[in-house]
Amino acid sequence: MRRWVGLLLGLGLVLAQPTPAERAEGLRARLVEAQLELAFDPQAAAGLLQAAQAEAAALAKAGLTVDLKPLEEALGARDEAAFARARARLWTDLLRQGYLRLEEAVRSGDLAAARGWALLREYRPATRYAAPEAEATLALEELRQGRLKPEEALLAVRADLLGAYQARLEAALRDLEEAQSQGQPVRAAEQRALAQGYFEILAPAYREARGAARLAEARQALASGPLGAIREALSGFQAAPLSPRERARRANQTLRFLDLVAVEYGRGVVGPAGAVRVTKSLEIEEATAFLESARAAWSALEPMFPAAKVEGVRQGFKGLEQGLQAARQGDNPPSAQALEEGVRALRQELEALLPAEWRRADPAGDLEVIRQQLKALENAVAQGRYDLAETARMDAYALLESGPEARLRVFAPALALEIEDLFWNGRNPDGLARLIRQKAPPSEVRETRRRLEAKLHEASGFLSTQSAPAATLANAAVIVFREGLEAVLILAALLGSLKRPEVRRFRRPLWQGALLAFGVTVLTWFAMRGLLTQFARYGERLEAVVSLLAIAVLLLIMNWFFHQVYWTDHLAGFHQQKQRLLRAETGQYLGLLSLGFVSVYREGFETVLFLQSLVLQSSLAPVLLGIGLGLLATVGVGLGVFALQAKLPYKRMLIATGVLLLLVLFTMVGTTAHVWQVVGWLPVHPIGGLALPYWAGMWLGLYPTWEGLGLQVLAVVAVLGSYFLAEGLKRRALPNNLRHT
C-alpha cells in the first residue's frame, strides 16, 4: 500500500512540475522586475537576477541554453540599456530554441513534446478586434486525430509561428522608430535587440530565399544600421508565404477595419476644424481599436512589397494614429471630415498596392469583422451606452447583408434565418435588437452574442471554400430564378383574374407597372455600386415598407375586382357623370400600375442586394452570366404559365386565379409580418411546441408566431368576406325569380 501511495505522490510531483514554457515565462518576469529595479535599487535587482538562476537551471535540464552572463555584466556596470538589450536577446533566443524543438517534435510525430513546446511562443500583436491566432494548436490537434499528415501540420505550424514572429519584428521596428524620435535610449536598445532576436528565428527562411551574403547584410543592418537600411533589407521578404486566400482575408480586413475608423470617429466628434469637441469618448476608443486592427492585418502583407512603395501607407497610418491620439487627449483633434479624408487617402494608397484579386470580398473574412463589431456592441452595453450598441449592431448586420448572407441563403438558408433572428428579435435567446431596445443587462447580451458567434463560426464552414466562377454563376442564377418565380406567379394570378373582356383593359397597367419595376431594379443595381453597405443597413426596413405597400394595394385591388364584377354585371345601366367615371378609371389605372410595380420591385430589391454581394465575393462576369441564365429560366417558366393560363376556360380560370391570389396574399402577409417582427415593429409571441421547416417560411410565409399566423388568417377572411359580400349584393339585386336559377 505504501508503495502505491509513494508512486502516486511521485507521479503527482512530476505532473506538478512547471513546463518549459512556464519556466521561461517565470524567468522573463523576474528579469523584467530586475530591469525596473536597476535604476532605483541595484541590490534588489541583483536578488531578482539570482532568483532567475533557478529558472535558468530548470530550462537547461529541459535542453535549452540560457546564458545570464551578459545580464550580470550589465548589472555590475549599472548599464540599463545593456541590461534591456541582453534581456531581450535572451528571451527571443528562448523563443527560437522552443520553435526549433517544436519543428523537430512534429517531424518525429512526438505529439506530447510538440504540445509542450507549442506553449513556448509569442503570438501576433493582439488588438481588441484581432485576437491571437492558434493555427499551430489546431494543426496539432488535427494531427492527433489523423486528419492531417505530419508534413501538413508542419506547414501550418511554420505559417502560424513564423508569421507571428515577423509581425512581432515589424512591431519592434515601429517601437524602435518611436523610441528614437522621443529620445528614449533604453527603450530603443531593447526594441533593436528584440528585432534582432525575432529576425534570428526567421533567418533560415531568409537565407533560403536570398542567400548567405544577403543574410549577413541584414544582420548587420539590424545590429547597428539605420531604420531605412533595416527596412530595405527586409523589403519584400515573407518568412511564411501566405496562401492566396489568406492574402485576400488580410487585405479585406485591412480595408474593412480602416473604413470603420472614419465611421466611428465621425460619431464621436462635432464641430469644424479648430473647434472640434469629443462628444462620445467610447467612439474614439472604438475608432482607435479598429485602426489597430487594420494595421495588424496590414502587417502580414507589408513585407511582401518593396519598402519604397509602402512608405506612403506607413505615413498614412501614422497620421491617423496622431489624429486619434489628439482626440483621446483633447489636444486639438482633427475634424470628422479631415480624418475621413486621411482614411480615404490611405485607402487609395492601399488599393494602388493590393492586387485586385486580393481586394475581392471574402465572406469568411467579413464574418471575422462582424465578430469584432459584436464585441464593440457588448463593450457599449457594459458601459450603459445602448445607443452605441444599436449602432454597432446595425453596422455588423449591414456587413452581413452586403457580404456573406447571399451565399448563406443559397448554401445554408436555415442557418441564415437563425443568424437573422439572433441579430434582430428572435426568442430563446432574445435577439440583440430586442435586448438593446429593452436595455437588457450585459449578461443577457453576452449570452446572445456568444450564441451568435457560434452560429457565425458554423457559417464560416459554408463560406470557407473559394468562390469559384462556376459556383458564383450558379448562385446568381438560383437567386434570380427564385425571386423571379415569385414575381411571375403574382403577375399570372393578377392577369388571370382580369381575363373577362370588360376588364381586360386593366391588364395593361399591370404590365406597365411590372416593366417599370424592372427598370427601377436595374437603376437600383447601379445605385448600389459603392453604396451597398448603406443600403444594406436599412435593407430589412425597406423590405418591410415595400411589402406592406404591396399587401395594401393587393387587398385594395382584390376588393375592387370583386365589386367591379358586380357593378359591371348588374348596374351597368345606371348612368354616371362622365367626370366621375374618368376619376374612377384613373384611380383604377394607378392602383393596378402600383400593384404591378410593388409586386415586382419587392423581389427586385432583394435580388439586387444579394447579387451585389456576389459581385464583391467573386467578379462581375460570372454574376452577369448567372443573371442571364436565371432570367432565361424565369421567362421560360413565365411563358409556360401564361400559355397554360390562356387555354383555361373562364370559370376555371377565375377559380384558379382566385385561389392563387389568396395563396400569394397568404404568403405575402406571413413574410411581411416576419420582416416587421425582425425589425421590431411587430411583437413576437411564439406558438409553443410548433416547429416549422425552413421551406414553409421561404415559400408559404409560415412562421410559428401568433401574430404571423393570425394576420394570415385575417387577410384570407377579409378577402373571402369581401367576395361573399359581393355575391350577397349580387343575389339581392337579382329579381326573385332568378335568384335560384
Side-chain angles (χ1 to χ4, degrees), residues 130-352:
E133 298 175 353
E135 282 84 352
T137 304
L138 295 175
L140 293 178
E141 179 60 22
E142 291 182 351
L143 178 61
R144 183 189 68 80
Q145 296 173 355
R147 295 164 56 189
L148 278 184
K149 297 178 181 179
E151 56 270 22
E152 294 172 335
L154 185 58
L155 287 176
V157 167
R158 284 177 174 169
D160 185 359
L161 272 74
L162 294 183
Y165 291 134
Q166 186 152 9
R168 286 285 179 178
L169 170 58
E170 290 294 325
L173 292 176
R174 290 197 299 270
D175 289 344
L176 172 59
E177 181 179 16
E178 182 178 333
Q180 288 178 340
S181 66
Q182 295 178 0
Q184 300 172 338
V186 175
R187 185 184 174 205
E190 180 179 353
Q191 295 304 317
R192 185 181 285 271
L194 282 173
Q196 286 180 273
Y198 291 131
F199 180 74
E200 286 305 314
I201 302 174
L202 311 177
Y206 193 96
R207 180 190 291 109
E208 183 178 349
R210 302 189 176 182
R214 294 285 300 277
L215 175 61
E217 293 173 4
R219 281 172 168 159
Q220 180 61 38
L222 282 158
S224 57
L227 274 169
I230 297 174
R231 295 196 183 280
E232 183 63 32
L234 297 176
S235 176
F237 167 64
Q238 184 71 38
L242 301 176
S243 67
R245 178 172 181 76
E246 186 65 17
R247 294 172 189 175
R249 187 169 76 90
R250 298 287 182 186
N252 274 277
Q253 285 182 345
T254 301
L255 297 176
R256 290 285 198 185
F257 281 127
L258 188 60
D259 289 341
L260 290 171
V261 173
V263 172
E264 297 296 331
Y265 186 82
R267 293 169 179 160
V269 299
V270 295
V276 177
R277 291 185 299 105
V278 175
T279 57
K280 298 177 181 177
S281 58
L282 183 59
E283 297 285 16
I284 306 303
E285 294 176 15
E286 300 295 345
T288 302
F290 282 131
L291 183 63
E292 292 173 356
S293 298
R295 182 153 208 169
W298 166 248
S299 67
L301 301 173
E302 183 175 318
M304 305 177 71
F305 301 96
K309 290 189 175 183
V310 299
E311 184 58 33
V313 175
R314 287 200 196 100
Q315 294 304 317
F317 273 113
K318 188 173 182 180
L320 292 176
E321 287 170 354
Q322 291 173 345
L324 292 175
Q325 183 177 7
R328 292 195 303 273
Q329 297 175 350
D331 182 16
N332 191 25
S335 66
Q337 181 180 356
L339 192 121
E340 184 178 357
E341 290 173 356
V343 168
R344 189 181 303 116
L346 177 54
R347 205 180 203 283
Q348 290 173 352
E349 291 275 355
L350 289 166
E351 289 177 343

Side-chain angles (χ1 to χ4, degrees), residues 588-600:
Q588 292 161 4
Y589 178 89
L590 292 176
L592 288 164
L593 181 74
S594 301
L595 180 59
F597 177 82
V598 297
S599 298
V600 174

Side-chain angles (χ1 to χ4, degrees), residues 475-519:
N475 292 346
V478 168
I479 290 171
V480 171
F481 179 70
R482 181 196 168 280
E483 304 298 335
L485 183 60
E486 289 191 27
V488 164
L489 293 176
I490 293 173
L491 282 176
L494 293 171
L495 291 169
S497 64
L498 299 172
K499 187 180 178 183
R500 291 183 56 158
E502 60 269 23
V503 292
R504 284 185 66 86
R505 66 186 184 279
F506 293 117
R507 294 164 70 98
R508 177 176 293 180
L510 274 176
W511 278 114
Q512 290 173 340
L515 291 175
L516 178 62
F518 184 81

Side-chain angles (χ1 to χ4, degrees), residues 451-604:
R451 186 78 63 90
L452 181 53
E453 285 197 354
K455 292 299 179 182
L456 292 174
H457 179 74
E458 184 179 346
S460 65
F462 294 96
L463 304 172
S464 59
T465 57
Q466 287 282 15
S467 184
T472 300
L473 186 152
N475 292 346
V478 168
I479 290 171
V480 171
F481 179 70
R482 181 196 168 280
E483 304 298 335
L485 183 60
E486 289 191 27
V488 164
L489 293 176
I490 293 173
L491 282 176
L494 293 171
L495 291 169
S497 64
L498 299 172
K499 187 180 178 183
R500 291 183 56 158
E502 60 269 23
V503 292
R504 284 185 66 86
R505 66 186 184 279
F506 293 117
R507 294 164 70 98
R508 177 176 293 180
L510 274 176
W511 278 114
Q512 290 173 340
L515 291 175
L516 178 62
F518 184 81
V520 174
T521 298
V522 174
L523 293 177
T524 304
W525 166 278
F526 290 105
M528 281 193 177
R529 301 300 299 268
L531 296 174
L532 186 59
T533 300
Q534 288 84 343
F535 269 84
R537 181 181 178 85
Y538 303 105
E540 298 287 351
R541 291 188 171 109
L542 284 175
E543 184 182 349
V545 173
V546 173
S547 297
L548 183 64
L549 180 61
I551 291 174
V553 176
L554 182 59
L555 282 170
L556 179 65
I557 295 301
M558 289 180 71
N559 186 64
W560 162 83
F561 173 71
F562 288 128
H563 288 276
Q564 173 71 13
V565 170
Y566 167 71
W567 289 111
T568 301
D569 282 348
H570 305 288
L571 301 179
F574 289 90
H575 297 284
Q576 302 179 23
Q577 296 180 2
K578 183 178 180 181
Q579 188 63 32
R580 184 178 177 185
L581 281 173
L582 181 62
R583 286 199 302 269
E585 191 84 6
T586 302
Q588 292 161 4
Y589 178 89
L590 292 176
L592 288 164
L593 181 74
S594 301
L595 180 59
F597 177 82
V598 297
S599 298
V600 174
Y601 186 67
R602 68 185 295 272
E603 310 298 337

Side-chain angles (χ1 to χ4, degrees), residues 665-675 677 682-687 692 700-715:
L665 180 67
F666 183 83
T667 303
M668 193 180 293
V669 169
T671 302
T672 302
H674 175 67
V675 173
Q677 288 173 328
L682 190 68
V684 181
H685 293 90
I687 300 176
L692 297 174
L700 299 176
L702 285 169
Y703 297 92
T705 68
W706 288 109
E707 291 82 3
L709 292 178
L711 287 172
Q712 286 177 301
V713 171
L714 182 63

Side-chain angles (χ1 to χ4, degrees), residues 492-500 502-503 507 558 561-566 569 644-663 719-720 723 726-727 730:
L494 293 171
L495 291 169
S497 64
L498 299 172
K499 187 180 178 183
R500 291 183 56 158
E502 60 269 23
V503 292
R507 294 164 70 98
M558 289 180 71
F561 173 71
F562 288 128
H563 288 276
Q564 173 71 13
V565 170
Y566 167 71
D569 282 348
L644 177 64
Q645 185 187 83
K647 296 178 181 179
L648 290 175
Y650 173 72
K651 288 186 177 180
R652 292 183 182 178
M653 193 70 242
L654 186 62
I655 295 173
T657 54
V659 171
L660 187 54
L661 273 175
L662 274 179
L663 181 60
V719 171
L720 291 178
Y723 170 74
E727 284 294 306
K730 171 182 172 181

